[in-house]
Amino acid sequence: MRLDKFLADMGFGSRKEVKGFIKKGLVQVNGVVVKSDKFQVAETSDQVIFEGEQITYQKDFYYLLNKPQGVISATQDNHEETVLDLFADEDYREDLFPVGRLDKDTEGLLLITNDGLLSHQLLSPKKHVEKEYYAHVSGVMTDEDVKAFDEGLVISGDEQTLPAKLTIVSVDEAMSTSKISLVLHEGKFHQVKRMVAAVGKEVTYLKRVRMGNLYLPEDIQLGSYRQLTEEELKALRGE
């Protein structure tokens, strides 16, 4: 790999910027100052030092974000705040993207990565990767609703959903409200809201708490993120 690409990939600037750093003699490879941006390095075995800091090459990045309401699941937008706008400058990379999407008013777990293969595996309709949501509902959910969800529903637009596991967490008869957990195996547009609407109720609050074997940790505040642990990444890949 070219030295300038190595440094740019690791977030030390654009290709043009890192070329300038290299020509100024700020980079060492295996203890020797290198001033050619075309110099070839072995990213996993060569020791690259930039201004005294040793750089460990990392190809793929995986972040777990607790998305707040009011933020859209996009990489950039001229009018709305995006999930990548929540990233600190030192963590931001142009190749990062959200895996799937959460509605603007939906909170919870969102995977941010630059690994296109893993994203495809998680989103492929053939894989049926489970997604679990927690929701507040206006209306009383019933055992009949549980059965209807289990059989699959016809939602708005005459779309047929796959069977989904609905669990009624609690019901407040006096306030005519419910709290539910819902596990889906697909990702139709506004699916949770449309399924609940199909049985005559309305979602008033929605949070995703799980994607596959990756759970939303309780210690990550809304709007915060962190890199996945090795254990979480293995669980997500099903290893």
Side-chain angles (χ1 to χ4, degrees):
M1 176 182 290
R2 283 176 51 135
L3 183 57
D4 57 349
K5 183 178 189 308
F6 179 98
L7 292 171
D9 281 357
M10 291 301 94
F12 286 91
S14 65
R15 290 286 282 271
K16 181 178 180 180
E17 289 171 333
V18 299
K19 287 177 190 289
F21 299 149
I22 295 168
K23 290 178 180 178
K24 290 178 181 178
L26 301 178
V27 183
Q28 295 181 11
V29 179
N30 298 326
V32 179
V33 173
V34 175
K35 293 188 176 182
S36 170
D37 53 77
K38 298 181 179 66
F39 186 86
Q40 293 289 319
V41 297
E43 55 264 33
T44 57
S45 58
D46 283 339
Q47 183 187 68
V48 180
I49 295 177
F50 176 69
E51 290 191 314
E53 176 187 351
Q54 183 171 339
I55 305 168
T56 300
Y57 187 79
Q58 182 177 350
K59 178 184 177 184
D60 296 318
F61 292 79
Y62 307 91
Y63 293 97
L64 190 159
L65 170 71
N66 188 358
K67 187 187 103 53
Q69 294 184 19
V71 178
I72 64 172
S73 300
T75 56
Q76 58 184 351
D77 190 272
N78 292 329
H79 306 289
E80 303 277 3
E81 184 179 21
T82 73
V83 290
L84 289 189
D85 290 332
L86 300 173
F87 276 62
D89 290 344
E90 60 266 26
D91 296 324
Y92 175 82
R93 296 173 55 90
E94 290 187 352
D95 58 352
L96 290 174
F97 59 87
V99 177
R101 65 187 301 278
L102 291 178
D103 298 337
K104 183 178 178 180
D105 60 353
T106 299
E107 299 177 357
L109 187 155
L110 189 63
L111 178 65
I112 309 291
T113 186
N114 62 341
D115 187 341
L117 178 59
L118 179 63
S119 174
H120 173 73
Q121 292 172 342
L122 293 172
L123 298 177
S124 172
K126 296 180 182 179
K127 298 291 186 179
H128 300 304
V129 174
E130 289 187 350
K131 303 171 189 69
E132 183 176 351
Y133 297 84
Y134 169 77
H136 295 177
V137 174
S138 176
V140 174
M141 302 296 287
T142 66
D143 291 340
E144 287 74 19
D145 296 331
V146 173
K147 182 179 179 182
F149 274 62
D150 188 55
E151 294 174 349
L153 291 169
V154 176
I155 57 178
S156 58
D158 287 331
E159 283 193 82
Q160 176 69 50
T161 71
L162 293 174
K165 181 175 176 56
L166 170 65
T167 301
I168 301 173
V169 177
S170 65
V171 170
D172 187 328
E173 296 276 0
M175 297 296 293
S176 188
T177 58
S178 308
K179 295 178 181 179
I180 64 170
S181 169
L182 182 61
V183 178
L184 304 180
H185 299 86
E186 57 187 338
K188 296 183 184 297
F189 184 67
H190 291 321
Q191 184 168 347
V192 176
K193 298 172 184 176
R194 292 164 70 197
M195 290 185 78
V196 171
V199 294
K201 287 89 175 180
E202 180 185 5
V203 171
T204 57
Y205 169 80
L206 185 59
K207 176 171 72 172
R208 183 158 68 190
V209 297
R210 178 170 65 89
M211 185 174 191
N213 293 320
L214 180 64
Y215 289 81
L216 178 67
E218 294 182 357
D219 61 351
I220 297 186
Q221 297 182 347
L222 280 171
S224 298
Y225 65 90
R226 64 161 170 77
Q227 288 203 50
L228 263 62
T229 65
E230 283 296 323
E231 291 74 17
E232 288 171 332
L233 187 54
K234 287 180 180 179
L236 194 59
R237 287 172 169 162
E239 298 177 359

